Structure formats: C-alpha cells, structure tokens
Amino acid sequence: MKIGVYPGSFDPITNGHLDIINRAAKLFDKVYVAVIRNPEKKPAFNINERLEMAKAVLKGRSNVEVGSFDGLLIDYVKKVKAHAIIRGLRAVSDFDYEFQMALTNRKMDPDIETVFLMTDYKYSYLSSSFVKQIARLGGDVSSFVPKAVEDKLKKL
Ligand code: PNS
C-alpha cells in the first residue's frame, strides 16, 4: 500500500490544491492532506477553519484523509507510515524553494521521496495569497476556490 502526504498551509485550500490532490489520489493508495498548524507566515484562517474547509471539500473521498501536524513534516510522514511527500509545481518560480525543501527532507530521511506533480495550466497562476487579497478587496473568487471556501472568504 503506497501512502503519500500532501502538506501545506492550505490558507485556504484552492482549486489548484484540489487538482494536485486528484492527481495524487490516482497514484497513491492513500493520501494524507496534512495541514500545518503553525505556518511561518501568520495565517488568515486558524487551524480549525483551515481543517474544516479542507474536510468539507474532500468529504466522501475514500482514499483521502485530512490531518494536521506541528513540528517537522518528516516526523508526520513517518508517523502515518507514508512513503512520499507530494508537492505541486505551478511554475519555474516554485522550483528553487521546492528543490531546497525536498533535499533538506531527504537529508533528514533518505527513505522518503518527494514527488512533484504538475498542476493543470489553468491553475498555474493561482495562489492562496492572491485569492485572499481578491476576496478582501471584494472581488469574485468563485472560479478559484470551492463554494464552501468562497463562503468563508466572504467573511474575511
Ligand atoms: O503551503 P506551504 O506554505 O508551501 O507549505 C510549506 C510546508 C508546510 C510544507 C513547509 O513549511 C513544512 O514542511 N514545514 C514544516 C517544518 C519542516 O519540516 N521544515 C523542514 C523542511 S524544509
């Protein structure tokens, strides 16, 4: 049984994240969507809100489970007995940071691979930060996020 962990801040979860989860769920027997409790950047949504949104949009998916973690990602990966870390790549600009993170995690545990999945080109420009900014300024985010997230963003 191949298990993957898809970690992130998910502040909030977007259609771009869902695209990566859909791809990962076809490759892995089980995918843990791992929401970091205390991201480096102060999140707009607290951990319960970020978890609730992720759970709501992923409800009923038999091989996808939403969890949260604190501390080192690699420790969570080992805790759930996963084999790989899944990360999405949008554009070349993502590469440096992702490369550094993948090699750092590999140094800490050489048995855990990082697998990069390419997002659909229609989400290649999408980021949670811009989605929040648009929502705060009264713009329409309905094509960027699922309905449950759009409703939460309206209250930001
Ligand atoms: O959605 P993000 O902000 O790109 O996710 C980044 C995340 C949460 C995957 C990354 O910051 C992380 O793994 N943090 C946990 C701390 C850790 O393990 N650091 C060492 C790896 S470089």
Side-chain angles (χ1 to χ4, degrees):
M1 170 133 164
K2 287 288 172 208
I3 304 174
V5 169
Y6 179 45
S9 320
F10 301 106
D11 185 39
I13 192 161
T14 67
N15 290 340
H17 293 127
L18 289 179
D19 178 68
I20 296 294
I21 294 165
N22 290 338
R23 291 169 198 284
K26 287 189 217 154
L27 291 174
F28 291 87
D29 299 303
K30 174 136 199 167
V31 174
Y32 286 95
V33 174
V35 184
I36 188 164
R37 288 191 162 263
N38 298 301
E40 300 269 298
K41 267 194 291 177
K42 192 178 157 16
F45 294 103
N46 68 38
I47 181 61
N48 292 333
E49 293 172 309
R50 285 181 285 130
L51 274 173
E52 242 171 57
M53 284 186 276
K55 282 180 181 165
V57 302
L58 293 165
K59 204 168 64 186
R61 306 280 292 258
S62 59
N63 67 338
V64 179
E65 197 172 312
V66 179
S68 66
F69 75 104
D70 227 346
L72 284 178
L73 170 62
I74 211 81
D75 290 338
Y76 178 82
V77 171
K78 282 189 259 194
K79 193 179 89 179
V80 297
K81 298 184 168 40
H83 307 91
I85 295 165
I86 301 153
R87 292 288 288 173
L89 281 181
R90 293 167 299 188
V92 182
S93 49
D94 282 339
F95 184 78
D96 273 351
Y97 171 69
E98 295 297 335
F99 183 67
Q100 207 177 355
M101 196 156 80
L103 292 189
T104 308
N105 282 322
R106 179 183 283 167
K107 179 78 185 154
M108 288 189 282
D109 190 333
D111 292 332
I112 308 287
E113 287 296 339
T114 298
V115 175
F116 293 104
L117 297 178
M118 229 71 76
T119 185
D120 192 302
Y121 75 95
K122 61 178 187 268
Y123 302 123
S124 58
Y125 59 89
L126 191 56
S127 77
S128 295
S129 311
F130 279 133
V131 168
K132 281 179 286 194
Q133 194 178 90
I134 295 165
R136 280 193 180 114
L137 298 171
D140 177 11
V141 292
S142 59
S143 59
F144 304 142
V145 293
K147 182 80 174 76
V149 176
E150 187 191 348
D151 292 344
K152 288 285 286 183
L153 279 165
K154 281 188 180 144
K155 293 177 199 141
L156 260 188

